[in-house]
């Protein structure tokens, strides 16, 4: 019974095509995370230059995140997906030429990272919004769990493949590998059978602000649970973003009993835990989605705070697996809650609002964690981040209970 929705989805050629597309784009983007930084370091970039490279990978969300969501709701999402993959492949081949020509690598890679993420701000909301046209409403949760699992498996495989490739081939060739994967993904996207969306004749800038104001007001009245979920999930990202990016490497580096190999095993445990977590989320009834989403964050907050109390590698791997499980439950159900509740004409904008808030929160989180680690200690940073996640998840559970009670009292 638990496996029946998955069996049906795996027999659907549209889902198989979407899964294939996810495989190529996830391998490309996860491989880039390693390749860009590695090429910069190997070409003499300073740590501050590498920091700017990472900064430019996030910066476009602040400028274009909301625009990408609005554009995706007004234009054909399938064409957006195909075009963004095609352009990202083109950008990467341009970077290959510039790296081979021995231009200033840090500047070239930072500019390329900015362009790639800018295209991603348009691709991501379109990709999240297209699922409503591809599967039945009741199949959204298991479909999301399949796609999330694929993305996380690529997160485990891509660093190994690209790390091996960097040790064998010239750096520019490895950069071009991601470009090829994006081009293959755009080719796969051509075969997705989706009803055409509305066509955008011209961009009206006042309309963008008006549309977002209208959606935000609608989320505060007709879809209050969605606005609460967006804000509290973004707050949870604020709590954990800096811990994953800065806190964990510092903790493993400062510990006399742990090293970088232990960090790799811990991160591998997180990736492995996401697979059963995503599967579990896909089997839940829709009436339990919001509750289990906040419970996932609740356990995540407790577990991330406990991380710095352990030095035994076996227990750290187990803890990492539990972190991956609870994080996958929260992620899959959050996406599903939005896709099931928000009308298709607004769903990409809803995801864009979350991306804007979450990526801004992740940038702030990194600064906060770095400051706390420098002034107090790494353990204090983990307690602080875990407390934010706990506060957000408990608030969500209480508000969800209150909104359901108000709904039942409504005549």
């Amino acid at each position: 019974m638990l496996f029946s929705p998955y069996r049906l989805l795996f027999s659907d050629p549209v889902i198989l095509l979407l899964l294939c597309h996810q495989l190529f784009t996830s391998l490309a983007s996860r491989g880039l995370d390693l390749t860009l930084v590695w090429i910069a370091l190997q070409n003499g970039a300073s740590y501050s230059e590498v920091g700017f490279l990472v900064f430019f990978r996030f910066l476009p969300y602040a400028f274009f995140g909301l625009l990408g969501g609005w554009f995706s709701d007004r234009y054909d999402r399938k064409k957006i997906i195909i075009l963004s993959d095609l352009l990202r492949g083109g950008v990467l081949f341009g970077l290959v030429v510039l790296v081979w020509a021995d231009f200033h690598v840090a500047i070239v890679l930072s500019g390329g990272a900015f362009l790639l993420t800018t295209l991603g701000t348009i691709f991501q909301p379109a990709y999240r919004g297209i699922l409503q046209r591809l599967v039945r409403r009741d199949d959204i949760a298991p479909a999301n769990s399949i796609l999330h699992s694929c993305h996380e498996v690529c997160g485990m495989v891509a660093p190994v493949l690209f790390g091996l490739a960097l040790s064998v081939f010239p750096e520019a060739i490895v950069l071009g590998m991601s470009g090829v994967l994006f081009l293959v993904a755009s080719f796969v996207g051509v075969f997705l059978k989706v009803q055409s969306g509305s066509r955008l004749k011209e961009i009206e800038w006042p309309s963008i602000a008006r549309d977002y104001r209208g959606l935000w007001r609608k989320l505060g009245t007709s879809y209050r649970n969605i606005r609460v979920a967006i804000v509290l999930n973004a707050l949870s990202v604020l709590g954990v973003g800096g811990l994953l990016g800065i806190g964990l490497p510092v903790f493993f580096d400062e510990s006399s009993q742990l090293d970088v190999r232990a960090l790799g095993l811990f991160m591998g445990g997180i990736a492995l835990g996401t697979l059963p977590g995503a599967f579990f989320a896909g089997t839940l009834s829709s009436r339990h989605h919001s509750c289990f989403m906040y419970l996932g964050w609740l356990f995540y907050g407790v577990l991330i705070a406990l991380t710095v109390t352990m030095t035994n590698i076996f227990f750290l791997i187990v803890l990492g697996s539990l972190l991956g499980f609870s994080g996958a439950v929260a992620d899959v159900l959050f996406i599903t809650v939005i896709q099931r509740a928000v009308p298709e004409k607004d769903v990409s904008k809803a995801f864009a609002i979350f991306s804007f808030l979450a990526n801004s929160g992740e940038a702030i989180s990194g600064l906060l964690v770095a400051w706390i680690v420098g002034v107090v200690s790494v353990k204090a940073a983990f307690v602080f981040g875990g407390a934010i996640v706990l506060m957000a998840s408990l608030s969500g559970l209480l508000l969800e209970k209150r909104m359901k009670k108000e709904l039942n009292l409504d005549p």
Side-chain angles (χ1 to χ4, degrees):
M1 190 72 177
L2 287 177
F3 291 96
S4 57
Y6 292 100
R7 282 200 302 269
L8 291 171
L9 286 172
F10 275 118
S11 64
D12 186 343
V14 174
I15 292 299
L16 291 177
L17 275 172
L18 197 63
L19 186 62
C20 187
H21 181 273
Q22 173 86 77
L23 174 68
F24 290 121
T25 54
S26 294
L27 282 175
S29 58
R30 290 299 186 97
L32 272 176
D33 291 339
L34 170 67
T35 307
L36 290 174
V37 173
W38 181 262
I39 293 176
L41 290 172
Q42 292 301 302
N43 284 272
S46 65
Y47 289 130
S48 60
E49 287 175 323
V50 173
F52 271 108
L53 170 60
V54 176
F55 174 72
F56 275 101
R57 285 275 276 168
F58 286 101
L59 187 62
Y61 284 102
F63 292 109
F64 307 114
L66 296 178
L67 175 61
W70 179 85
F71 191 78
S72 298
D73 277 338
R74 307 228 351 180
Y75 197 60
D76 190 325
R77 293 189 179 108
K78 175 182 172 179
K79 291 181 180 177
I80 291 173
I81 290 170
I82 294 169
L83 188 59
S84 62
D85 285 335
L86 199 62
L87 290 174
R88 283 189 286 185
V91 168
L92 282 165
F93 283 117
L95 289 182
V96 168
V97 173
L98 293 174
V99 169
W100 237 325
D102 208 23
F103 279 82
H104 193 292
V105 171
I107 294 176
V108 167
L109 294 182
S110 295
F114 184 88
L115 288 174
L116 289 166
T117 306
T118 299
L119 292 167
T121 62
I122 300 172
F123 164 84
Q124 199 61 37
Y127 190 76
R128 295 293 189 200
I130 203 172
L131 195 63
Q132 289 174 313
R133 287 177 175 261
L134 297 175
V135 300
R136 295 184 305 112
R137 194 164 180 265
D138 290 339
D139 289 332
I140 287 177
N144 275 321
S145 71
I146 291 170
L147 296 174
H148 186 83
S149 297
C150 176
H151 183 70
E152 293 303 327
V153 168
C154 290
M156 291 186 285
V157 173
V160 177
L161 289 178
F162 279 78
L164 183 62
L166 284 165
S167 68
V168 176
F169 301 110
E171 296 154 353
I173 294 292
V174 182
L175 200 59
M177 284 170 53
S178 287
V180 171
L181 289 169
F182 277 125
L183 292 181
V184 174
S186 69
F187 177 74
V188 172
V190 171
F191 296 96
L192 285 172
K193 294 184 178 179
V194 188
Q195 294 178 357
S196 296
S198 57
R199 300 184 67 85
L200 178 63
K201 295 180 180 177
E202 59 178 329
I203 293 179
E204 303 169 6
W205 297 108
S207 174
I208 299 176
R210 185 173 63 248
D211 286 354
Y212 272 108
R213 281 198 302 268
L215 176 59
W216 190 249
R217 283 195 297 268
K218 190 188 296 183
L219 291 176
T221 53
S222 304
Y223 307 103
R224 283 177 57 202
N225 62 317
I226 301 300
R227 185 157 85 169
V228 168
I230 287 173
V231 172
L232 293 182
N233 274 266
L235 185 60
S236 296
V237 173
L238 170 67
V240 302
L243 297 180
L244 297 175
I246 298 173
L248 283 175
V250 171
F251 167 64
F252 278 83
D253 182 58
E254 287 186 354
S255 174
S256 59
Q257 302 176 49
L258 300 170
D259 56 17
V260 69
R261 288 172 296 179
L263 175 60
L265 290 170
F266 178 75
M267 297 303 291
I270 292 178
L272 283 172
T274 61
L275 302 181
F279 168 77
F280 173 74
T283 63
L284 292 170
S285 168
S286 60
R287 66 178 181 273
H288 299 311
H289 284 172
S290 293
C291 178
F292 274 89
M293 175 184 67
Y294 292 121
L295 284 173
W297 275 119
L298 179 69
F299 283 107
Y300 199 98
V302 172
L303 293 168
I304 197 74
L306 288 175
T307 303
V308 288
T309 66
M310 297 187 181
T311 54
N312 181 283
I313 187 59
F314 172 77
F315 289 118
L316 277 169
I317 293 172
V318 173
L319 184 68
S321 299
L322 294 173
L323 270 171
F325 183 95
S326 56
V329 170
D331 286 345
V332 170
L333 294 181
F334 172 67
I335 294 168
T336 302
V337 163
I338 291 181
Q339 288 172 337
R340 284 178 59 89
V342 179
E344 187 194 347
K345 66 184 181 67
D346 292 322
V347 69
S348 293
K349 290 194 290 294
F351 280 116
I353 291 172
F354 171 72
S355 293
F356 173 77
L357 294 174
N359 283 283
S360 300
E362 190 161 1
I364 295 169
S365 177
L367 296 175
L368 279 173
V369 168
W371 180 78
I372 295 172
V373 168
V375 174
V376 190
S377 68
V378 66
K379 290 186 177 180
F382 274 81
V383 171
F384 174 76
I388 291 178
V389 178
L390 282 173
M391 180 182 69
S393 57
L394 288 172
S395 299
L397 288 169
L398 291 172
L399 287 170
E400 188 69 21
K401 184 178 179 180
R402 179 179 168 184
M403 284 185 286
K404 283 184 177 179
K405 186 181 291 186
E406 290 175 356
L407 192 63
N408 291 334
L409 288 175
D410 254 357

